[in-house]
Amino acid sequence: MDSPSASILQQLRSLHPDDFEAFVAEIWEHDGYNTTVKGGSGDRGIDVIAERDNLVSERLLIQAKRYAESNTVGSPEVQQYASLVHQQDAANAAVIVTTSSFTTQAAELAEQHGLNLIDGDRLVEIIDSNELESLVDEYASGDHADAAPGATERPNPEPATQAAGSQFSIELVALRSEAEIDRYTDGVYTETHDNPNANRIAAFFNIENLGGHIKLKGHRSFTFKSTDGYDYKVSPESTGGLRFSMPGSWRSSIDLSHGQTQNVVTISTEIPAGVTIDRIEFDGGDDHFTFELTPETKATLREKTLDLDV
């Protein structure tokens, strides 16, 4: 039987990321703060702003990471958030709240930068001490006014965690596997492989350049992450990041000018049978995104109808 703490974390991890941000805001509301949920692709890493005026004015910047237990928050994510916080005016403190945990290196880096970390266990303690269990139930059931019922009905069920100072807006819009890959990629492997797409995953993204000129190299940028601790890079045969908005436009790099949007498909190397992929990471140097893949998210993304000109 699950412990009460495990049950609470399971409920929180089932929330849509937007709902988790709203829930985190309510925790601070309960403590006397006025909160603003930023959210969306333009939040640039700050999810909630909490403010109050007592003897002195307080302004807290909060990042909410609704992660699976196995998806720990590492030092690169802490560094990115710290860099963002240092650019803000009139911020008294910064907090990262997660339903998972922090690596030792992340905790050490947070201490150096004066960031406050709240992991899943500490979050449960806060919920318990403030008697907010019923609020968790409301969000998990979709009964709360700020909760969006049926997260799987949303068009983008698992948006990326956007890095501080990022120049990208990037959305994972669909997943396909094995034989389905050929249907949407015009048989990119068929000339060189007898069974080209066995145990592979194709991930379809929409990418928008928010500033400057950017050149993407897909085979260096995307990694399929597994629960067994192994990483599966993009298949060299798929040439990495591939445009799919025009027939015959497969290429390993893509140039985007400011304001341009591009559709991209990237295909994994062969994944051993029985291995579960639980997230996809994009690393573009200063731009880092994590796409968490819960079973519900995978089902939704695989059912999505793609109207692609390929």
Side-chain angles (χ1 to χ4, degrees), residues 18 21 38-47 156 159-163 165-171 206 208 210 289:
D18 291 352
E21 291 171 10
K38 304 294 286 184
S41 61
D43 68 11
R44 306 186 73 80
I46 297 174
D47 299 315
N156 301 304
T161 298
Q162 188 162 349
S166 175
Q167 293 182 293
F168 288 113
S169 170
I170 179 170
E171 295 175 304
N206 289 331
E208 180 181 3
L210 301 178
F289 303 86

Side-chain angles (χ1 to χ4, degrees), residues 47-295:
D47 299 315
V48 179
I49 298 176
E51 300 172 293
R52 68 180 176 186
D53 288 312
N54 289 334
L55 295 177
V56 296
S57 297
E58 294 180 66
R59 187 170 190 262
L60 309 182
L61 307 179
I62 305 169
Q63 186 176 74
K65 291 185 174 295
R66 199 278 294 133
Y67 277 5
E69 182 179 7
S70 61
N71 190 8
T72 56
V73 181
S75 53
E77 293 163 287
V78 170
Q79 179 65 60
Q80 289 160 1
Y81 192 53
S83 299
L84 173 64
V85 168
H86 291 327
Q87 300 171 23
Q88 304 299 308
D89 295 327
N92 302 101
V95 186
I96 302 177
V97 182
T98 184
T99 51
S100 63
S101 58
F102 298 91
T103 65
T104 300
Q105 293 84 355
E108 292 172 351
L109 189 62
E111 185 175 2
Q112 294 173 20
H113 288 282
L115 299 183
N116 300 290
L117 304 183
I118 298 177
D119 64 11
D121 292 337
R122 177 58 183 148
L123 181 57
V124 170
E125 291 177 4
I126 293 171
I127 291 168
D128 181 62
S129 62
N130 289 281
E131 299 181 346
L132 297 176
E133 291 87 352
S134 61
L135 188 64
V136 176
D137 292 337
E138 289 177 15
Y139 270 89
S141 64
D143 290 338
H144 194 273
D146 290 333
T152 56
E153 296 175 4
R154 297 192 178 196
N156 301 304
E158 290 291 334
T161 298
Q162 188 162 349
S166 175
Q167 293 182 293
F168 288 113
S169 170
I170 179 170
E171 295 175 304
L172 174 60
V173 296
L175 293 173
R176 293 296 182 268
S177 59
E178 299 184 353
E180 281 288 293
I181 294 177
D182 280 341
R183 177 182 174 190
Y184 291 101
T185 59
D186 199 24
V188 65
Y189 288 103
T190 52
E191 294 181 1
T192 56
H193 293 77
D194 294 330
N195 188 20
N197 297 316
N199 299 321
R200 301 179 191 267
I201 298 175
F204 295 79
F205 295 90
N206 289 331
I207 299 177
E208 180 181 3
N209 181 2
L210 301 178
H213 180 267
I214 296 171
K215 186 170 184 176
L216 303 179
K217 290 185 176 294
H219 64 289
R220 297 180 183 176
S221 301
F222 292 95
T223 305
F224 294 76
K225 312 283 281 191
S226 67
T227 54
D228 62 3
Y230 291 96
D231 296 346
Y232 299 90
K233 290 289 187 178
V234 169
S235 172
E237 294 88 354
S238 74
T239 68
L242 307 176
R243 297 197 305 171
F244 60 79
S245 59
M246 295 172 57
S249 61
W250 308 105
R251 57 186 63 190
S252 60
S253 62
I254 298 169
D255 291 283
L256 284 177
S257 299
H258 185 196
Q260 284 190 322
T261 299
Q262 183 62 64
N263 298 321
V264 172
V265 57
T266 189
I267 304 171
S268 73
T269 54
E270 187 168 351
I271 298 169
V275 169
T276 299
I277 299 298
D278 68 347
R279 63 193 186 277
I280 301 172
E281 291 189 358
F282 172 84
D283 187 354
D286 293 333
D287 305 280
H288 186 91
F289 303 86
T290 299
F291 300 85
E292 188 177 349
L293 301 178
T294 65

